[in-house]
Amino acid sequence: MRNTTDDLIKTSKNTTMTMMQVQYVKRFVLVLPFIADMTQAQISIYAAVAGGRRFVVLAHAMPHTALMGEPLTEAGDVVPRIEEPLIERTFETGRSMRGRREWEIGAPDYEMITLPIHDALKGGVIAVMSLERQMTDERDRRDELLKTTKLILENVHVDVNEAMMSPIKANDAIIIADGYDRIIYANEAAIHIFRVLGVVRLIGMPLFDLALSCHVTRETVSRDRPFVKEVEAGGRTILYRSVKIEAGGTMLRHIIVATDVTEIRKKEHEIRVKSAVIKEIHHRVKNNLQTIASLLRLQARRSKEQSVKDALQEAVNRILSISVVHEFLSQESSSNIDVKKITGNILDMLRPMMLATDFNLKREFTGDDIVLPSDMGTNMALVINELIINAIEHAFEGRSEGLIGLDVKSSGEGYAIDLYDDGGGLPDDFDIARTKSLGLSIVKMLIEDDLGGTFALESGDGGGTHAKMTIPRDRIIS
């Protein structure tokens, strides 16, 4: 569980600590997850409760690098001093303690190590940190982790870099070097990664010799995070995080957290390639649709029948509305369609074809955003195309300006979409069930049959026509 500053201040109210001491302990809380992961131990910070023989747990962290079951303590727990003799002894002596804790009968014994946190100004013990981990035979290697932990706590700076001290994942390699950059600790993940790269021995080796042994072919350093670099070596891609523990300009420990991201980078490359191919396909489909539209225009020019010309022009508009979707998909990284953006694109496409150059077409888009998967987006583009054409043909006749708007309201059930104009409204005897308009029939079929929604066309109270549609949320599957 991540402990916030507010949690720490709230928990510390009944302790003997001053607010300045609480702020000081905050520095240690920020590095708890990192230390817990590095030492494979659950960590708690205890403070003395005022006026009684009890301790309160100020903060607690569980490791991501070891399976430990239920936590032994949690932030906010209050325990009698008699139940925590090592914690009490550390408070009294100011020295680190080591012992055993049997948490449950028959369960593995836990090794418990306590570390005092001293007041930076007065020097007294203000809190005690405990590390609890299962007993193992690897005493020497784990002692190096404990020594490193002590150095981290003794040299926690005022401004802790949380990104540098971020938690460690279970499969991360951990390498610790001393002040001379000689490796003194390496976990199993580190041994495995570097064995694959041809490095069979780590302990005692100079840290920077690893780069030579690994035959580095590329090294990239993050600008925003200069302590992170990505290295390609031996066909593998390794992400390094460098954590230096320094005091007075002297390096005490150099911790390297390394992750083998080879497979991740391969997948990312495959996704980029597939995305580029998909974008190219959408681009070619758009071009093909525009070619078809051009052929239909040529055919319309050759026809002498006005009804044929009008029918072919309607077909051209419908084809171009679909091409707008593919153009959008060829330019965006997502395969989803933003309905407001598509509406704007269709307006831009239809305006020069259907309105005079001096016509003032205003638009207003309000309400929530609605994003549809590409197949539903194509149907919605056809719907919007038909409705806008209908508005331009009937609402703006004899006018020099007009408004087309789109309002979207989202609810738990789905989306309510209102595409409207500021024209004279519908005729008094209008009945959509008896209309012979092919465009409105297409709209009704797409909304009700393909999108599973409802469609209604009605006059507004203040004038204009409103095309009101609903789309159930459960039909929108991205």
Side-chain angles (χ1 to χ4, degrees):
M1 183 180 73
R2 182 63 184 271
N3 303 280
T4 66
T5 305
D6 291 340
D7 294 333
L8 177 63
I9 293 173
K10 182 179 179 181
T11 308
S12 65
K13 282 185 177 179
N14 296 323
T15 69
T16 57
M17 299 169 61
T18 66
M19 184 53 65
M20 185 175 293
Q21 290 172 338
V22 172
Q23 293 298 324
Y24 179 65
V25 171
K26 175 190 169 185
R27 308 179 198 175
F28 298 90
V29 174
L30 293 175
V31 300
L32 282 195
F34 181 84
I35 294 175
D37 292 335
M38 185 180 70
T39 58
Q40 296 184 336
Q42 58 176 309
I43 302 181
S44 303
I45 295 181
Y46 291 82
V49 176
R53 295 189 57 79
R54 293 180 300 166
F55 296 122
V56 62
V57 180
L58 294 178
H60 177 264
M62 292 287 286
H64 301 89
T65 52
L67 182 63
M68 302 200 68
E70 293 297 320
L72 304 182
T73 56
E74 292 185 353
D77 285 353
V78 177
V79 295
R81 290 191 179 219
I82 195 172
E83 292 183 7
E84 298 291 354
L86 292 182
I87 301 294
E88 184 172 22
R89 187 67 174 154
T90 302
F91 263 107
E92 293 173 350
T93 65
R95 296 198 304 269
S96 176
M97 298 287 171
R98 188 194 297 261
R100 289 192 178 193
R101 183 204 290 275
E102 186 182 82
W103 198 251
E104 293 180 352
I105 296 176
D109 283 351
Y110 278 79
E111 179 184 35
M112 183 174 181
I113 300 167
T114 61
L115 301 170
I117 298 177
H118 296 276
D119 189 308
L121 298 176
K122 299 179 181 179
V125 178
I126 58 174
V128 172
M129 180 183 294
S130 74
L131 289 77
E132 297 174 70
R133 56 193 182 184
Q134 289 189 16
M135 300 289 291
T136 68
D137 296 330
E138 298 181 342
R139 186 66 176 267
D140 293 341
R141 294 179 69 234
R142 302 190 82 173
D143 279 350
E144 291 297 345
L145 291 175
L146 181 60
K147 292 176 185 177
T148 302
T149 298
K150 289 180 178 179
L151 290 173
I152 291 174
L153 298 179
E154 291 169 2
N155 296 280
V156 170
H157 298 294
V158 175
D159 297 320
V160 176
N161 189 323
E162 291 190 66
M164 183 185 295
M165 290 288 188
S166 61
I168 302 169
K169 296 187 290 295
N171 60 341
D172 283 350
I174 302 174
I175 297 174
I176 301 176
D178 60 19
Y180 302 100
D181 268 327
R182 293 276 177 179
I183 297 174
I184 57 176
Y185 173 85
N187 68 353
E188 293 299 325
I191 293 171
H192 172 73
I193 287 177
F194 286 97
R195 183 181 293 125
V196 171
L197 296 174
V199 181
V200 295
R201 179 176 168 235
L202 290 176
I203 305 300
M205 293 288 292
L207 186 60
F208 294 106
D209 276 4
L210 293 178
L212 299 176
S213 302
C214 294
H215 308 291
V216 173
T217 57
R218 183 185 66 86
E219 181 176 295
T220 305
V221 180
S222 172
R223 289 185 179 179
D224 298 331
R225 304 169 72 192
F227 51 88
V228 175
K229 67 172 65 175
E230 188 169 294
V231 171
E232 286 185 4
R236 313 298 295 176
T237 304
I238 310 296
L239 194 66
Y240 286 95
R241 188 197 334 164
S242 175
V243 181
K244 295 180 179 180
I245 311 302
E246 298 176 318
T250 301
M251 189 170 68
L252 305 175
R253 287 289 189 273
H254 191 171
I255 305 170
I256 298 292
V257 180
T259 307
D260 189 338
V261 294
T262 305
E263 296 305 319
I264 295 175
R265 293 296 180 262
K266 284 182 180 178
K267 292 293 183 183
E268 289 174 350
H269 177 70
E270 291 174 4
I271 291 171
R272 286 195 297 271
V273 171
K274 288 180 181 179
S275 177
V277 170
I278 291 171
K279 285 184 178 182
E280 179 62 23
I281 290 172
H282 283 300
H283 180 71
R284 293 188 182 188
V285 170
K286 178 207 73 172
N287 289 344
N288 290 338
L289 289 172
Q290 290 178 340
T291 300
I292 294 170
S294 298
L295 292 173
L296 291 177
R297 285 197 195 97
L298 289 174
Q299 190 65 41
R301 293 193 192 102
R302 294 187 177 187
S303 177
K304 297 180 180 179
E305 297 290 335
Q306 186 60 41
S307 60
V308 175
K309 290 177 178 287
D310 292 342
L312 289 174
Q313 184 57 50
E314 287 180 3
V316 166
N317 291 336
R318 290 173 184 134
I319 290 170
L320 290 178
S321 70
I322 298 174
S323 77
V324 165
V325 174
H326 288 282
E327 181 177 22
F328 182 87
L329 292 171
S330 71
Q331 296 173 353
E332 298 290 326
S333 58
S334 173
S335 61
N336 295 330
I337 299 297
D338 186 308
V339 172
K340 289 182 180 178
K341 287 184 179 180
I342 284 295
T343 303
N345 291 354
I346 291 175
L347 275 171
D348 292 338
M349 176 194 74
L350 292 175
R351 176 174 178 163
M353 293 192 295
M354 301 189 67
L355 293 169
T357 56
D358 59 348
F359 188 91
N360 181 23
L361 179 62
K362 294 176 286 186
R363 63 182 76 179
E364 61 179 18
F365 298 158
T366 58
D368 304 313
D369 292 328
I370 175 172
V371 178
L372 301 176
S374 58
D375 55 342
M376 296 181 71
T378 300
N379 291 339
M380 182 55 68
L382 279 171
V383 167
I384 292 169
N385 177 78
E386 298 297 335
L387 294 174
I388 290 178
I389 288 175
N390 198 57
I392 291 175
E393 288 180 342
H394 301 290
F396 304 146
E397 187 175 358
R399 296 174 55 180
S400 60
E401 66 176 18
L403 168 72
I404 289 181
L406 180 72
D407 181 63
V408 180
K409 288 183 171 58
S410 174
S411 68
E413 297 178 356
Y415 293 94
I417 303 171
D418 183 8
L419 185 67
Y420 57 90
D421 61 61
D422 65 347
L426 297 169
D428 294 336
D429 60 348
F430 178 80
D431 184 354
I432 194 171
R434 295 200 306 266
T435 184
K436 296 182 180 179
S437 168
L438 176 61
L440 291 180
S441 298
I442 291 174
V443 169
K444 198 170 188 305
M445 178 193 69
L446 290 174
I447 291 293
E448 296 180 354
D449 296 343
D450 290 2
L451 300 181
T454 61
F455 172 68
L457 204 60
E458 56 191 51
S459 294
D461 295 336
T465 301
H466 291 256
K468 296 187 175 181
M469 301 158 275
T470 63
I471 301 177
R473 190 176 292 276
D474 57 6
R475 293 294 293 269
I476 302 175
I477 304 174
S478 299

